Amino acid sequence: MTTSTDDLAVSAQDRSSTAGGERADLLATLAQHRHFLAFTTRGLTDSQARQRTTVSELCLGGLIKHVTLVERGWADFIVDGPSAMADSAAMTEDDWARRAEEFRLLPSETLADVLAAHAEVARRTDALVTGLPDLNAGHPLPKAPWFPPGARWSSRRVFLHIIAETAQHAGHADIIRESLDGAKSMG
C-alpha cells in the first residue's frame, strides 16, 4: 500500500464533512498538522529519511514513527483507559531502549511503511473524534513523573494533546528537512 502525504489530509477532510462544530475543528486542525509533518518527507529516499541532520537523535522517518505510536497510544487510552499505557516506573532498560528506537527509522523500516501506518492511525483517531458519544468522558492518567498525581483527561483533552504533539514534531521535521537539503514546508 502506498500512502501519499495528501492521504492524511483527505481522510480528515472526508470525516470533517460529517462532523460539525468542535469535532470538525479538531479534525481540521489534526489534518493540517499531519499534512505538514508528512509533507516534510516529500521526495525523500529511505536513507534520507533515516539521516540525522542536527545534534538531536531525531530523523524524519523516526519522527513520523514516533508521532504514530504516540497517537495510537492516546487513542488506546481513550478507549481502554490508563491500562493502555505503560507504567513508567515499571519500565526496564530494554523498554527505554525500545522507546528510543521510536525516534529512528530502522534499517528494516521504510518511509512508505511509516507513512502508511501514520495514515491508518489517523483514520482510527478521526473515527474516534466523530464517533465518541461524549468528548467530556475521560480517564485518570497513568502514574508517571510528568503527570500530576490524580489527574484526569477527557477525550477532548487527549485530542488536543495529539494535536500539540503532531504540531511540535512537524516543527522539528521542518528543521531537519531544511538542514538535510534546504527544502522548506512554507516560505
Side-chain angles (χ1 to χ4, degrees):
M1 172 181 168
T2 302
T3 302
S4 74
T5 56
D6 294 332
D7 289 342
L8 295 170
V10 170
S11 171
Q13 287 172 350
D14 293 345
R15 291 215 183 274
S16 66
S17 66
T18 62
E22 177 184 20
R23 292 171 194 258
D25 289 344
L26 290 169
L27 291 170
T29 304
L30 268 169
Q32 178 185 26
H33 293 298
R34 287 174 181 145
H35 168 75
F36 283 124
L37 176 63
F39 188 67
T40 63
T41 67
R42 69 199 179 284
L44 294 181
T45 65
D46 292 339
S47 178
Q48 289 170 310
R50 284 186 190 94
Q51 190 173 339
R52 291 176 41 211
T53 62
T54 67
V55 296
S56 154
E57 289 290 322
L58 302 175
C59 68
L60 292 170
L63 274 174
I64 292 171
K65 185 172 128 179
H66 170 71
V67 169
T68 300
L69 294 169
V70 167
E71 184 169 330
R72 180 182 296 130
W74 282 111
D76 290 346
F77 173 82
I78 288 171
V79 174
D80 299 323
S83 65
M85 304 188 108
D87 177 353
S88 65
M91 288 180 68
T92 66
E93 231 177 272
D94 287 342
D95 294 330
W96 288 110
R98 276 191 296 281
R99 187 173 189 288
E101 288 180 351
E102 288 180 17
F103 294 95
R104 294 190 290 274
L105 187 65
L106 302 176
S108 62
E109 299 169 328
T110 67
L111 179 58
D113 288 343
V114 295
L115 286 168
H118 189 220
E120 181 182 321
V121 167
R123 282 189 291 277
R124 178 182 178 224
T125 301
D126 292 350
L128 282 172
V129 170
T130 59
L132 286 175
D134 182 7
L135 293 178
N136 291 318
H139 301 288
L141 291 173
K143 290 180 182 176
W146 45 86
F147 296 133
R152 290 180 61 85
W153 277 7
S154 67
S155 296
R156 174 186 296 101
R157 177 65 183 90
V158 172
F159 293 133
L160 292 171
H161 180 72
I162 292 168
I163 290 168
E165 179 89 10
T166 305
Q168 177 181 1
H169 288 310
H172 292 146
D174 231 4
I175 292 166
I176 293 168
R177 179 62 192 258
E178 190 171 354
S179 298
L180 180 66
D181 64 4
K184 298 178 184 178
S185 295
M186 292 191 273

